[in-house]
């Protein structure tokens, strides 16, 4: 058992207790002490360690909210510019910015057991912190991915947030739709819902259309909106299938709009304008 590999598997930084739990001996710890830094008593840190993990361990905290998104595979388009750390203690946090020269966002309150070996908050705490902290356009997709990938039930969080009178966080939670299958779809849905409500129409994510199959969005029963990823049209077979779907949609009386994720991210106003034009054009005929 290579002590350096064990340390690397823990993000490159760990307390002695975590290393012993991973199977290392006291002799192995002595070996690590000669080969890696010891920024604090009982803490071992490789040069290439996870800096957010280091910040958490140095201050008896855990990584949470946006900083924990990659650990749980959650959808988050833009990595946070600061470390999001969670803790229950009341110690001063004015030195947290000194770790790796990056500032920290401190989240008070951890209600669930943290990860068994990493300085990582429980998924439930990560989501609660995200709902209270992140902008709606970031929090909603992140929570939607937790529902889809980890089977998290939003009803539990709704009761919790309602009891704590967290109005904005509760509204964000209620905007989560587990039917979306990707980050661009989740972001597109946040743009489509207000427009559809304004026009008195329904938006159905991952709708099944007879003769066409499943589409990303069906609005008003006639407008299909597809968000095509980078891997789309990877071979001739997919091109032929796509052409057939488009032809079937036209023959069935549907209108189809297709977009790449970059349009949703960089030109949201254009996206909404296009969809509005397609919807109002059909509705006013």
């Amino acid at each position: 058992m290579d002590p350096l590999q064990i340390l690397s598997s823990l993000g490159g930084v760990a307390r002695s207790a975590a290393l012993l739990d991973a199977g290392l001996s006291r002799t192995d710890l002595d070996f690590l002490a000669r080969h890696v830094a010891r920024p604090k008593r009982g803490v071992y840190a490789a040069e290439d360690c996870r800096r957010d993990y280091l910040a958490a361990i140095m201050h008896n905290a855990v990584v949470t909210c946006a900083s924990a998104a990659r650990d749980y595979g959650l959808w988050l388009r833009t990595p946070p510019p600061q470390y999001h750390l969670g803790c229950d203690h009341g110690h001063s946090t004015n030195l947290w910015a000194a770790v790796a020269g990056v500032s920290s966002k401190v989240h008070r309150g951890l209600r669930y057991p943290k990860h068994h070996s990493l300085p990582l908050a429980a998924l439930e705490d990560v989501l609660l912190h995200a709902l209270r902290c992140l902008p709606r356009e970031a929090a909603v997709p992140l929570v939607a991915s937790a529902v889809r990938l980890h089977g998290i039930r939003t009803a539990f969080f709704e009761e919790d947030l309602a009891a704590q009178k967290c109005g904005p966080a509760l509204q964000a939670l209620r905007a989560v739709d587990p039917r979306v299958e990707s980050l661009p779809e989740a972001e597109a849905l946040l743009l489509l819902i207000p427009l559809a409500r304004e026009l008195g129409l329904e938006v159905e994510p991952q709708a099944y259309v007879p003769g066409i199959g499943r589409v990303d969005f069906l609005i008003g029963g006639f407008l299909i909106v597809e968000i095509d990823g980078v891997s789309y049209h990877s071979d001739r077979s997919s091109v032929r299938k796509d052409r057939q779907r488009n032809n079937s949609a036209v023959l069935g009386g549907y209108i189809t709009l297709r977009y790449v994720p970059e349009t949703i991210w960089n030109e949201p106003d254009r996206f909404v304008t296009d969809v509005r034009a397609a919807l109002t054009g059909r509705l006013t005929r």
Side-chain angles (χ1 to χ4, degrees), residues 67-266:
S67 293
R70 68 164 165 163
D71 292 283
Y72 288 106
L74 305 179
W75 299 337
L76 185 68
R77 177 155 51 98
T78 305
Q82 56 186 182
Y83 301 139
H84 288 251
L85 305 177
C87 68
D88 279 327
H89 60 73
H91 299 168
S92 173
T93 59
N94 58 1
L95 297 178
W96 288 22
V99 179
V102 178
S103 63
S104 299
K105 168 75 174 182
V106 181
H107 296 271
R108 298 293 184 187
L110 297 169
R111 300 185 56 187
Y112 301 89
K114 74 177 188 69
H115 192 278
H116 65 280
S117 59
L118 302 175
L120 181 65
L123 178 58
E124 292 84 355
D125 278 323
V126 169
L127 300 180
L128 286 170
H129 291 155
L131 286 165
R132 297 190 187 101
C133 169
L134 301 182
R136 185 171 181 268
E137 59 270 19
V140 172
L142 187 146
V143 176
S145 65
V147 173
R148 182 168 187 82
L149 301 175
H150 298 280
I152 290 292
R153 297 178 60 185
T154 58
F156 174 79
F157 293 105
E158 185 161 354
E159 294 175 2
D160 194 320
L161 294 172
Q164 297 182 40
K165 298 182 179 180
C166 299
L170 188 58
Q171 291 178 7
L173 179 67
R174 289 172 176 169
V176 171
D177 194 312
R179 292 173 292 179
V180 294
E181 295 186 339
S182 68
L183 173 59
E185 285 182 35
E187 293 175 316
L189 183 59
L190 288 176
L191 298 172
L192 293 172
I193 287 178
L195 174 60
R197 286 177 178 168
E198 175 188 335
L199 298 176
L201 302 174
E202 179 184 359
V203 180
E204 185 179 356
Q206 290 300 314
Y208 179 79
V209 179
I212 299 173
R214 197 161 296 281
V215 299
D216 291 341
F217 301 102
L218 180 64
I219 309 175
F222 67 86
L223 176 62
I224 295 171
V225 177
E226 298 271 36
I227 313 297
D228 298 331
V230 175
S231 61
Y232 200 76
H233 291 166
S234 58
D235 53 47
R236 290 188 63 82
S237 176
S238 65
V239 173
R240 288 194 298 270
K241 182 178 179 180
D242 175 55
R243 296 296 182 267
Q244 183 58 51
R245 279 168 54 91
N246 283 351
N247 292 342
S248 297
V250 172
L251 293 173
Y254 295 93
I255 300 172
T256 301
L257 295 177
R258 311 192 80 102
Y259 297 93
V260 294
E262 288 77 8
T263 302
I264 309 302
W265 298 335
N266 303 325

Side-chain angles (χ1 to χ4, degrees), residues 3 15-17 19-20 24-34 38 44:
R15 294 186 178 89
S16 56
L19 293 166
L20 292 172
L24 295 188
S25 65
R26 292 290 176 181
T27 301
D28 293 326
L29 295 185
D30 291 339
F31 171 85
L32 284 178
R34 297 192 301 271
R38 297 187 66 183
Y44 300 79

